[in-house]
Amino acid sequence: EKQRKGIADYFNPTVPINRISGGGESADGGDSVFAEDILAQNGTGASVLRPTESNQARGSTGADAGANGSGTSSDPSLVDMEQALKARGGESMTMEQALRHVITEVSDEGLVVELFDLDGAPLFIGDTAEPAPILRDLAAMLSEVFGLATNSVAVQGHVRSYPIMMIDNPVWTLSADRAQVMRRLLEDKGMKPVRIQRVTGFADRKPATGDPMAVRNNRLEVILLRSDR
């Protein structure tokens, strides 16, 4: 069952509203379609600290991943990281504050770590690509954690929408610049540049909420890509 539990619980081990990985369209996580109370026994994360054999999360499909090569157990590097990640939960108040900005999801592409703005606590200074101290802390954590694997990494930038009447709308350049800043932060904290497979700016084309101008749409996605993709 250790191989079938999602890695995502590491990032919020003590926050009940975000115990199940995957998140939703709100800043406090929302419900995942893989949550145990929605699709029982098929959660990517487990809501019980010590699940029994009959009451536990069973990966993204609930099937034995070895049979078809899908799921987290098809990638040993993700499995190995799971235990190390959980061991670091609750280390300090600084870590707890930083993890308020984090939602994770194990997808077909790999482990997606989403870092997002909170009201009064942005990841960047104003409408610039200058990183705030909290983002530097998150980059250091991710670089250390991702250092436990050798998988390639992708970085994606997203920003909120701006008023349509603006002559020079910054969404494309800002999302791309912020993704590049995150790449540099990861490399400065020890990630090997050769592991970065792509850096992409999505502008405001994929909002995370129903309000395209909400600050929650300002986010980065750092993806630990599956080795079998």
Side-chain angles (χ1 to χ4, degrees):
E1 67 269 20
K2 292 181 180 179
Q3 294 184 354
R4 290 170 178 155
K5 288 175 61 179
I7 309 169
D9 279 348
Y10 158 75
F11 290 96
N12 287 284
T14 61
V15 183
I17 60 174
N18 201 22
R19 285 285 310 181
I20 301 298
S21 62
E25 294 186 349
S26 63
D28 54 16
D31 288 328
S32 166
V33 295
F34 295 121
E36 287 177 323
D37 57 354
I38 295 180
L39 292 182
Q41 311 305 316
N42 285 334
T44 56
S47 60
V48 181
L49 290 177
R50 294 177 176 83
T52 64
E53 178 62 28
S54 61
N55 183 21
Q56 62 178 318
R58 299 182 182 276
S60 59
T61 64
D64 184 355
N68 55 17
S70 63
T72 56
S73 62
S74 67
D75 194 333
S77 60
L78 298 184
V79 175
D80 292 341
M81 239 187 346
E82 178 183 6
Q83 298 306 316
L85 291 175
K86 290 180 179 179
R88 298 189 56 208
E91 287 182 351
S92 66
M93 184 63 68
T94 300
M95 180 68 73
E96 290 183 8
Q97 290 297 312
L99 295 181
R100 295 186 304 142
H101 295 262
V102 178
I103 287 177
T104 63
E105 178 183 8
V106 179
S107 71
D108 288 342
E109 193 171 20
L111 173 63
V112 182
V113 181
E114 182 180 311
L115 316 176
F116 55 90
D117 279 3
L118 294 172
D119 287 331
L123 298 179
F124 292 88
I125 306 300
D127 293 329
T128 73
E130 176 66 26
I134 191 69
L135 183 60
R136 297 182 185 276
D137 292 339
L138 288 168
M141 179 192 70
L142 284 179
S143 181
E144 180 179 350
V145 171
F146 282 10
L148 300 173
T150 59
N151 305 52
S152 296
V153 174
V155 182
Q156 300 178 169
H158 302 264
V159 296
R160 67 181 181 89
S161 294
Y162 288 79
I164 195 169
M165 68 283 297
M166 292 183 65
I167 296 176
D168 185 14
N169 195 313
V171 293
W172 284 110
T173 54
L174 188 57
S175 64
D177 289 347
R178 288 181 172 183
Q180 289 288 0
V181 166
M182 188 62 186
R183 173 190 62 82
R184 288 194 293 269
L185 288 175
L186 291 172
E187 293 176 356
D188 289 345
K189 298 301 182 180
M191 181 175 289
K192 295 181 179 179
V194 70
R195 292 183 62 189
I196 305 295
Q197 184 176 100
R198 68 176 186 270
V199 180
T200 312
F202 283 90
D204 57 353
R205 299 305 193 260
K206 295 184 177 183
T209 71
D211 178 5
M213 297 183 68
V215 296
R216 175 63 177 81
N217 295 310
N218 290 329
R219 65 196 194 279
L220 297 164
E221 292 177 349
V222 184
I223 307 171
L224 186 68
L225 300 169
R226 292 185 183 274
S227 59
D228 56 353
R229 297 289 174 178

